[in-house]
Amino acid sequence: MGTSDAALVRRVQTGDTRAYADLVARYRDRLGRYALHMLGNREDAEEVLQDAFVRAYRSLASCDDPERFGAWLYGILVNRCRTAGARAARRAQRFVYDPTALERAPSAAPDGRTEWEDVVRWALARLPPESREAFLLKHVEDLEYEDMARLTGAGVSALKMRVKRAREQLRAILKEAERV
Amino acid sequence: MRGSPWSGAACLLAATLVTGTMAAQQIDPRLDRLDAVTRSIVGALVDSAVAAALPTEPLIQRALEGATKRATGEVIVAAVRRLAQDLAHARDALGGTASPGELTAGAAALRAGASPAFLTELRRTRREPLIVPLAVLTDLVASGVPVDSAAHAVVALASRTRDADLIEFRRAVERDIALGAPPAAATAAAAGLTAQSVDVNAGARQQRPGRP
Amino acid sequence: MFDQPDDAVERMARHLRQPVRIDPALDERVMRAIATLPTPVRSTAGVAWSWLTRPRRLTLTPLGMVAAAAALAAVVLLYRRGPGPPVLPRTDTRPFQFVLVAPRATRVSLVGDFNDWDATRTPMRRVRATSSLWSTLIPLAPGRYRYSFLVDGAHWRADPAAPAARDDEFGTPSSVVTVGGS
C-alpha cells in the first residue's frame, strides 16, 4: 500500500503501462458496485467497467489533475453507464433485471436476505435512470452534491430534486411490494 | 310426382335446424364462458363485425376479459358494443387496408381522445405498421400528456422512426414526467431527442426478452 | 443521511453499500486491451489538445441564430419526408417477460388478450423458491395487448411497470403492452 493514485498515473504517463494494473485493481470493486447497481446486470456492468478503464487509459494523457484520478475515472464510468443504459432501453429491456442470474443465485438464506435482495434489485430497476443515478451517487457512493454535479453535469438543485423523488418513488415501490 | 303434405314443413324445419345449428356453430366456443343471453348478444355483435369486415378477435377478448373479471352480462355487452363502434371509426379513419392490430390500436387511440384526422394523417405519413405510434399516443395521453401535444409529437416522429425508438420515446416522456416535468414539455423535449438519435442509433437490435 | 425517518429506503441504501466483488480476471482483460494502445504519454501536443477541447461558453449573434434555426429546420424537413411504398407488417413473435413483486402471494397468473383471459393458461413462477419476484416469459406478435395479474385467484393487479389501460369498463385495473415490429 502507499503508492498514491497520482504517482501511479504519472508512472503510466511516462510509459510504465504496468502501473495501470494497480489502478485497475484499486478501483475495480468500488466502480463495479456502481455499475452493477446502475445496470442491474453483472455481465453489462463488467463490460461497461472494462470499457471505462480502457477509455480512461486512452485519455490518461489528458488527465490534468492526477490527484483526482478517482473522480475523473468515476466521471467516465457514469457516462458509460448512461450510454449502456440508454442502449439497453432501446433494446426494449426497460428494467435492468437478470432472471438468469437470479435463478443461478444461491437459495435464500434463513434470514430471508436473498428475498430482500430481489426486492432491492427490483425496486432500483423500477427507478428512472436519472433518479437511480442520483440515488446511488448520493446514498450509496456517498458523494457530495457538488461532486455529483461535476460527475453528471446536472445542477445541484436538480440533483437534490432527483434524489428526493428517487426516495419517494422507492418508498412507494417498497410499500407496494409489501402489500401484494 | 307429388310429395307428402309434410315434406314442405319437414324441409322448412330441417332448414331452420340446419341454420340454427350453423348459427350456434358460428359463435366462438371460447364464448361459452358467458351466460347464454350474453353469449348470444355478443355472438350477434361478432357476426355484425364479420359482416362489416372488422376484426372479431378484439371483441371476443373484451368479452372474455369481462367474463374472467366477473362483470355482469350488461356491462360486457356494453363494452363489446362500444369497442365494435370504435373499431369501425378507426377503420373509417385508417382505411380499408388497416390490419386488425392497427384497428385495435386505433380504437384505443380514439377512445383516448385522438381525432380521426390524426389517424388519417398518421396513415399518410408512415409506411410501417401504425400499431406502435397509435399505442404510444394512447399511453402518453394516459400519462397526462394533452392529446394535441401527443398527436403532434407522434406524427412528427412517425415518418421514419422505428417502433423501438417510438417506445423509447414514450419511456423518456414517462421518465421526465416522473421527474416532475410538465407532460407537454416532456413530450416536446423527448421528441426532439428521439429525432436526433434515430439515425445515430440505427444499430442491431437485441434478442433479449422485451418488457412491457 | 436521510432527512426524515425512512426505514425501508435507508435499509435499502445500507444493503446497496455492501462491497461488491468483481471478477479479478477483468484486470487482465483491461491490460490485454490496453496493450494494443499507444502509451498515454503526456506531451505538449496533449496539453494543447486539452486546451483546445476544453468546454467554452458560446455566444450566438443574431445572424448565427438565424443560421442555426435554418439548420434545425432543414433537419426537421429532412426528417419529415413523405411515405414511400408500404412496409408489410412482420408477424414473427418475440419473447416478453412479465414480472410482479408479490411476497405474500401463493399463486400468480398472467391473464390477458394473449391467452383468452384464461387464468389457468399462464401461471407465473417465483424466480427462486423463496423469492418475492414472480416471472413468466411469453412470445408475443406485434400488437397491443391488455393484461392483468391475478393474485391468489382473487385479486386483480395492474402491472406497476407498464402503462395503464384506460379503456377499462370492468372496474379492475389492467395494463397494456405494445409489441413493435421494427
Side-chain angles (χ1 to χ4, degrees):
Chain A
M1 287 301 291
T3 315
S4 68
D5 283 1
L8 289 169
V9 169
R10 287 198 188 96
R11 274 170 55 190
V12 180
Q13 284 176 336
T14 53
D16 179 6
T17 310
R18 293 173 60 83
Y20 198 64
D22 292 341
L23 287 167
V24 174
R26 184 172 291 180
Y27 282 99
R28 183 209 314 128
D29 288 349
R30 172 127 192 237
L31 267 63
R33 178 175 70 181
Y34 175 79
L36 185 60
H37 293 332
M38 195 59 208
L39 300 174
N41 171 312
R42 189 168 278 271
E43 199 178 309
D44 288 351
E46 289 194 5
E47 194 181 316
V48 162
L49 191 56
Q50 180 176 336
D51 183 36
F53 277 127
V54 173
R55 278 171 188 264
Y57 177 83
R58 207 183 279 151
S59 0
L60 204 58
S62 65
C63 178
D64 292 329
D65 187 358
E67 307 287 344
R68 291 184 51 79
F69 170 77
W72 180 75
L73 181 61
Y74 232 116
I76 293 175
L77 181 77
V78 165
N79 243 314
R80 299 319 298 159
C81 283
R82 283 181 177 184
T83 309
R87 206 166 46 227
R90 244 184 293 281
R91 289 184 318 216
Q93 185 173 7
R94 176 181 184 179
F95 298 112
V96 275
Y97 162 73
D98 185 354
T100 319
L102 281 174
E103 278 160 20
R104 277 202 302 257
S107 59
D111 61 0
R113 195 180 130 210
T114 310
E115 180 176 331
W116 171 245
E117 274 172 16
D118 287 349
V119 172
V120 166
R121 286 182 70 166
W122 174 241
L124 201 56
R126 288 271 308 280
L127 288 184
E130 296 86 349
S131 300
R132 187 162 62 234
E133 178 185 271
F135 178 81
L136 290 174
L137 292 174
K138 182 67 199 160
H139 288 310
V140 178
E141 302 305 326
D142 205 13
L143 298 185
E144 297 299 329
Y145 278 111
E146 288 70 22
D147 293 328
M148 289 168 63
R150 268 191 293 275
L151 285 183
T152 61
V156 167
S157 55
L159 287 167
K160 284 184 176 170
M161 183 54 77
R162 284 181 198 176
V163 170
K164 181 171 176 283
R165 284 188 186 277
R167 283 205 305 255
E168 287 166 2
Q169 285 171 300
L170 285 173
R171 203 177 305 129
I173 292 166
L174 293 171
K175 197 173 283 176
E176 173 192 297
E178 272 176 16
R179 199 157 45 88
V180 184
Chain B
M1 195 176 151
R2 291 177 58 202
S4 129
W6 290 103
S7 61
C11 284
L12 192 64
L13 181 64
T16 308
L17 282 174
V18 167
T19 312
T21 309
M22 278 174 67
Q25 280 172 351
Q26 278 169 358
I27 293 185
D28 193 298
R30 292 174 293 176
L31 295 177
D32 288 351
R33 280 152 55 188
L34 304 174
D35 67 69
V37 175
T38 309
R39 184 169 62 242
S40 68
I41 301 175
V42 170
L45 289 170
V46 169
D47 286 347
S48 302
V50 171
L54 289 172
T56 56
E57 190 60 22
L59 304 177
I60 290 169
Q61 291 302 333
R62 190 60 57 94
L64 294 176
E65 178 183 353
T68 300
K69 290 182 171 178
R70 300 182 196 287
T72 63
E74 201 178 328
V75 170
I76 293 173
V77 166
V80 173
R81 181 170 283 134
R82 192 168 171 191
L83 179 57
Q85 287 166 355
D86 288 342
L87 288 167
H89 292 150
R91 206 258 316 278
D92 291 345
L94 291 172
T97 58
S99 70
E102 288 177 322
L103 293 180
T104 307
L110 289 173
R111 184 78 67 90
S115 67
F118 160 75
L119 270 63
T120 307
E121 169 71 1
L122 202 57
R123 165 60 77 215
R124 200 185 57 75
T125 316
R126 186 173 167 88
R127 293 182 301 146
E128 289 85 0
L130 301 182
I131 295 170
V132 169
L134 289 166
V136 164
L137 173 113
T138 308
D139 295 341
L140 289 179
V141 173
S143 301
V145 178
V147 69
D148 288 346
S149 306
H152 182 75
V154 168
V155 165
L157 288 174
S159 66
R160 57 187 299 221
T161 309
R162 295 199 286 188
D163 286 349
D165 295 312
L166 281 166
I167 289 173
E168 179 50 27
F169 158 67
R170 186 206 82 207
R171 288 174 180 156
V173 176
E174 287 171 352
R175 276 200 298 271
D176 289 350
I177 292 174
L179 286 168
T187 305
L193 285 175
T194 304
Q196 283 170 23
S197 68
V198 163
D199 291 330
V200 177
N201 295 296
R205 292 281 188 260
Q206 56 97 36
Q207 286 308 311
R208 291 192 200 187
R211 299 297 313 278
Chain C
M1 172 173 274
F2 289 85
D3 305 332
Q4 54 189 347
D6 209 355
D7 286 350
V9 181
E10 191 165 0
R11 188 178 160 215
M12 178 173 169
R14 258 199 320 272
H15 174 83
L16 291 168
R17 284 198 289 270
Q18 289 172 4
V20 161
R21 287 271 298 155
I22 299 293
D23 185 359
L26 180 122
D27 301 14
E28 213 176 299
R29 293 203 297 274
V30 171
M31 295 310 286
R32 263 206 310 275
I34 67 168
T36 59
L37 299 173
T39 308
V41 176
R42 195 163 170 78
S43 62
T44 315
V47 174
W49 176 249
S50 61
W51 181 85
L52 278 171
T53 54
R54 186 177 78 197
R56 285 179 178 75
R57 183 181 296 277
L58 261 182
T59 312
L60 216 53
T61 61
L63 190 64
M65 284 167 77
V66 170
L72 193 65
V75 168
V76 170
L77 285 174
L78 192 70
Y79 195 75
R80 294 185 52 130
R81 63 172 190 188
V87 173
L88 292 175
R90 289 168 48 179
T91 53
D92 51 340
T93 62
R94 47 181 298 229
F96 259 69
Q97 186 187 30
F98 295 81
V99 179
L100 181 72
V101 181
R104 293 179 198 162
T106 55
R107 66 198 153 95
V108 179
S109 300
L110 173 66
V111 195
D113 287 343
F114 35 72
N115 62 11
D116 293 336
W117 289 90
D118 183 344
T120 63
R121 197 90 71 81
T122 316
M124 297 177 75
R125 285 191 317 130
R126 287 184 189 271
V127 296
R128 257 197 322 273
T130 57
S131 174
S132 311
L133 293 189
W134 297 75
S135 167
T136 191
L137 201 67
I138 58 167
L140 290 177
R144 177 179 169 82
Y145 305 89
R146 295 152 58 88
Y147 67 96
S148 282
F149 299 116
L150 183 59
V151 178
D152 292 336
H155 307 290
W156 290 101
R157 298 199 60 85
D159 186 344
R166 291 298 162 107
D167 47 346
D168 187 359
E169 290 102 336
F170 303 123
T172 59
S174 293
S175 303
V176 172
V177 56
T178 301
V179 183
S182 62

